[in-house]
Amino acid sequence: MAAKSFGERIADILIEDGLLTPAQLEEATALQKQQGGRIVKLLTSNGYVTEADMAISMGRCLDVPPINLSKVHPPDDLATLIPKEISRNLKLAPICKLGGKLFVAMADPMNVLAIDDLRQRTKLEIVPMIATEKAIDDALSGVNTGMAMDAVMRDAAEEADSGVEQVKQRTDNLDLDEMQNQSEDGPVIKVVNMILVQAIKEKASDIHIEPFEKSIKLRYRVDGNLVEASSPPKSLQLPMASRIKILAGLDISERRLPQDGRFRIRVAGKEIDLRISFLPTVYGEKIVIRLLDKSALCGSVRSLGLDDRTMAQFQGAIDAPHGMILVTGPTGSGKTTTLYSVLQELNHPEYNIVTVEDPVEYQLVGINQVAVKSEIGLTFASALRSILRQDPDIVMIGEIRDQETADIAVKAALTGHQVLSTLHTNDAAGAISRLDDMGIEPFLLSSSILLTCAQRLVRRICTNCKEEFIPEPEVFQKLEIPELIGQTFYHGAGCDRCKGRGYSGRAAVLEVLPVSEAIRKLIVKRASASVIKLQAVQEGMKTLRMAGIDKAREGITTLEEVLRTTAEDA
């Protein structure tokens, strides 16, 4: 009998560990015959196995130990031993040197050419260890800096004590040149860079830098919750603010008025847009930086995780030649991201798509985006009037805030345009009542609105520590599903990857209300939101809570998250 290939041995280990099924292996093997390539690469690139699980299985097969690079801080002198450019090309990261041995993390420990190259360059014995390709890229790009954060802040404090101590005494009398020079000091640049890189590593949506009397508080918003981090020294408060203002193209001499700006950085091969807000407080300027990662956008509405029936209704509204689609929910519930997903699906050369936003969050190729500037009279309403003279096919309005904008939007939907917008209401039916309250005639609403949906974001269970468990009976009682008491659901036990939280990432929960003939009649009669909602549920609509419970059953989130994010009457 012929000896098994490396790929076959890896597949056997994956099946033995319960990470791959024989049926999945058959599918991947058929794919390999069509496309060619290594079975190991196909299994990860097509989502059969995660990169982390593959690395561990490869390590078992080759008798090579795995290493978690996020827990390692290699000595600086290794960068001179093996330049980063060479490390990137060879897909490896040096870890440490002990005696005559160099320990190296490799995505492919079987790459004997890379090992020989290192041996000749360093004149050391190479000891390979295994890590994922992404972990190696992150380490080489400086993204895995969790352990170094405290050290950088301590070093910065020591340097700042001697270099910018005078800031403590003279916060009101600094001249422009002095502020510029301080913003370019080594510790300032290092700390600002570290704050940004750490935020990206943590997958934070916002960075909060808050000044107090004798300290600065640094916090990241991760999966919707604020998490405290190692804080920079108080003496770097002004130089840090100046550094961020310079990057955002703002006036560093203005510290009495709010300022807003944006800039773009590139980390680990990804472009991140940063939106900056400065707010003067008693002890200095509070800085909030929003991180907008375009790669995190859903490619289409299908990526939102809707069930087949709801997806068909949503797709029907998107494919309609004209009419209005409204997304509702509180601030930070992902409304704009959902609309961007719709725009990306509609973004074809045959459509003229124009948006008016305050501010423009993601800059998308092929779409004309207008930023509201109320101080010069460029409001939603005035911009929308001009946009309608630009022969648009699809118009997105960041938010309907007043009667004038609502009136223009509804009339645009009635005259052959597809209109997308958001509103601040608690549920999908509430969007219709809100427009009625703004003074829009019911017969116009019934003819223009195709679909409304309400949205919330729930935290995803960490896939690395996900496990079955039976929730407490009171959770079922509060969710009004006593019939499910005793059934098995899922939660995250907490692990290094999710930092003990049990959650990693967020998922959208949507309540989708298509405007049927029966609902149109209720709108014309000015029926209340609760009556419209009841009719929609009778027609098969899933409320936010019902949709959330479905997500919990699928193992995407927990019942506790559903209870936390959805209202009692949802």
Side-chain angles (χ1 to χ4, degrees):
M1 179 183 265
K4 288 187 176 182
S5 68
F6 175 67
E8 289 172 329
R9 284 186 286 142
I10 288 286
D12 286 346
I13 289 174
L14 290 168
I15 291 171
E16 181 185 323
D17 291 344
L19 300 170
L20 184 72
T21 65
Q24 288 174 324
L25 179 59
E26 282 183 26
E27 285 178 24
T29 305
L31 204 60
Q32 184 188 26
K33 288 176 181 175
Q34 294 173 7
Q35 300 178 358
R38 297 170 62 194
I39 190 71
V40 169
K41 191 71 175 173
L42 281 170
L43 287 172
T44 54
S45 61
N46 288 281
Y48 292 106
V49 181
T50 67
E51 283 192 19
D53 288 337
M54 179 61 78
I56 292 168
S57 299
M58 282 178 68
R60 276 186 60 194
C61 186
L62 296 170
D63 199 22
V64 173
I67 184 164
N68 184 350
L69 289 176
S70 66
K71 300 289 185 184
V72 176
H73 182 48
D76 294 337
D77 60 350
L78 289 185
T80 57
L81 194 63
I82 307 175
K84 282 191 178 179
E85 201 54 46
I86 292 170
S87 295
R88 282 196 178 92
N89 291 337
L90 298 178
K91 300 293 180 189
L92 54 84
I95 300 164
C96 67
K97 186 175 74 168
L98 292 174
K101 294 181 179 180
L102 179 64
F103 291 79
V104 180
M106 302 182 69
D108 182 7
M110 293 182 67
N111 189 343
V112 291
L113 295 177
I115 292 172
D116 285 342
D117 187 359
L118 286 186
R119 190 181 295 118
Q120 289 176 11
R121 285 177 183 277
T122 62
K123 311 301 180 189
L124 297 168
E125 181 186 343
I126 306 303
V127 181
M129 304 180 84
I130 194 163
T132 66
E133 194 169 311
K134 182 182 182 305
I136 290 171
D137 287 340
D138 285 350
L140 294 174
S141 304
V143 176
N144 288 329
T145 52
M147 288 182 68
M149 189 74 168
D150 290 337
V152 168
M153 292 304 180
R154 282 196 302 270
D155 292 345
E158 289 172 9
E159 291 183 56
D161 283 343
S162 58
V164 289
E165 181 66 28
Q166 69 273 21
V167 175
K168 294 179 182 177
Q169 271 70 45
R170 302 196 295 111
T171 55
D172 294 325
N173 299 311
L174 289 174
D175 62 45
L176 198 61
D177 291 337
E178 189 175 357
M179 291 170 71
Q180 173 88 32
N181 291 337
Q182 288 176 356
S183 72
E184 294 171 0
D185 278 349
V188 180
I189 294 174
K190 190 184 291 184
V191 167
V192 171
N193 289 350
M194 177 65 73
I195 288 170
L196 296 177
V197 168
Q198 184 70 8
I200 293 163
K201 180 204 167 192
E202 297 276 357
K203 296 181 181 175
S205 59
D206 300 88
I207 304 168
H208 290 245
I209 303 171
E210 301 160 309
F212 294 96
E213 185 178 7
K214 296 180 180 178
S215 65
I216 301 174
K217 183 183 283 187
L218 172 64
R219 296 190 290 174
Y220 298 116
R221 189 173 292 281
V222 181
D223 297 339
N225 293 342
L226 282 170
V227 179
E228 202 159 346
S230 300
S231 297
K234 177 70 174 176
S235 52
L236 286 185
Q237 179 178 320
L238 274 175
M240 276 174 52
S242 298
R243 173 68 180 164
I244 295 168
K245 284 180 182 179
I246 288 169
L247 291 172
L250 301 175
D251 182 359
I252 64 172
S253 64
E254 179 56 75
R255 288 179 284 127
R256 301 164 301 166
L257 296 173
Q259 291 191 74
D260 296 306
R262 67 189 306 154
F263 63 95
R264 184 175 294 171
I265 59 173
R266 191 174 186 85
V267 176
K270 294 193 299 184
E271 277 198 351
I272 312 287
D273 282 326
L274 304 175
R275 210 170 72 210
I276 319 298
S277 174
F278 283 83
L279 178 70
T281 69
V282 174
Y283 295 113
E285 291 173 296
K286 180 185 189 310
I287 307 167
V288 174
I289 303 173
R290 171 152 288 187
L291 292 89
L292 303 167
D293 180 3
K294 223 177 284 187
S295 67
L297 279 176
C298 295
S300 68
V301 176
R302 292 176 185 83
S303 307
L304 295 173
L306 302 174
D307 62 79
D308 292 341
R309 184 175 184 277
T310 306
M311 183 65 233
Q313 293 169 336
F314 214 121
Q315 195 65 51
I318 291 170
D319 293 339
H322 56 82
M324 184 182 289
I325 297 173
L326 296 170
V327 183
T328 77
T331 301
S333 60
K335 302 185 297 297
T336 306
T337 303
T338 296
L339 289 186
Y340 276 124
S341 300
V342 176
L343 285 181
Q344 297 214 113
E345 187 150 315
L346 294 169
N347 191 5
H348 297 293
E350 60 265 30
Y351 295 134
N352 175 20
I353 303 175
V354 188
T355 75
V356 52
E357 306 167 63
D358 182 22
V360 172
E361 291 203 10
Y362 296 94
Q363 295 171 3
L364 303 177
V365 176
I367 294 175
N368 306 285
Q369 295 171 276
V370 178
V372 166
K373 295 177 182 174
S374 302
E375 66 274 12
I376 59 170
L378 184 60
T379 62
F380 277 109
S382 62
L384 194 50
R385 275 194 295 270
S386 296
I387 286 168
L388 294 177
R389 293 193 286 270
Q390 292 275 317
D391 185 32
D393 298 296
I394 299 160
V395 179
M396 186 190 101
I397 306 164
E399 184 185 343
I400 294 177
R401 296 176 178 172
D402 53 54
Q403 193 273 337
E404 188 180 7
T405 305
D407 185 56
I408 299 169
V410 167
K411 287 175 180 172
L414 289 170
T415 54
H417 303 89
Q418 192 170 57
V419 179
L420 314 173
S421 191
T422 71
L423 278 169
H424 283 286
T425 62
N426 289 327
D427 57 13
I432 298 166
S433 300
R434 177 62 53 84
L435 291 175
D436 189 3
D437 292 342
M438 285 182 177
I440 308 302
E441 291 295 334
F443 71 90
L444 294 176
L445 294 176
S446 68
S447 304
S448 60
I449 298 175
L450 299 171
L451 176 144
T452 68
C453 69
Q455 180 166 321
R456 299 291 187 275
L457 291 177
V458 292
R459 290 181 291 174
R460 285 181 177 272
I461 299 171
C462 173
T463 54
N464 191 53
C465 59
K466 178 178 170 182
E467 62 180 25
E468 292 184 346
F469 90 121
I470 299 174
E472 295 296 325
E474 52 262 34
V475 175
F476 295 99
Q477 298 287 1
K478 288 177 181 177
L479 287 169
E480 298 179 355
I481 46 172
E483 68 276 9
L484 299 182
I485 289 176
Q487 287 196 18
T488 300
F489 282 79
Y490 298 89
H491 74 164
C495 63
D496 288 343
R497 192 179 296 177
C498 65
K499 302 209 167 156
R501 299 183 192 115
Y503 296 99
S504 180
R506 289 193 287 178
V509 174
L510 279 85
E511 171 184 289
V512 178
L513 189 158
V515 178
S516 64
E517 196 56 43
I519 290 174
R520 290 188 199 284
K521 289 177 181 177
L522 289 174
I523 294 171
V524 171
K525 292 177 182 176
R526 278 201 162 99
S528 67
S530 58
V531 171
I532 293 172
K533 183 173 187 173
L534 183 61
Q535 176 63 33
V537 170
Q538 289 172 356
E539 292 177 5
M541 181 189 84
K542 290 185 177 180
T543 65
L544 279 168
R545 181 153 286 181
M546 291 160 66
I549 291 168
D550 284 348
K551 285 274 194 292
R553 279 177 156 170
E554 292 167 25
I556 294 170
T557 190
T558 62
L559 287 178
E560 287 80 5
E561 267 296 283
V562 176
L563 185 61
R564 183 180 71 85
T565 54
T566 60
E568 289 181 12
D569 60 348

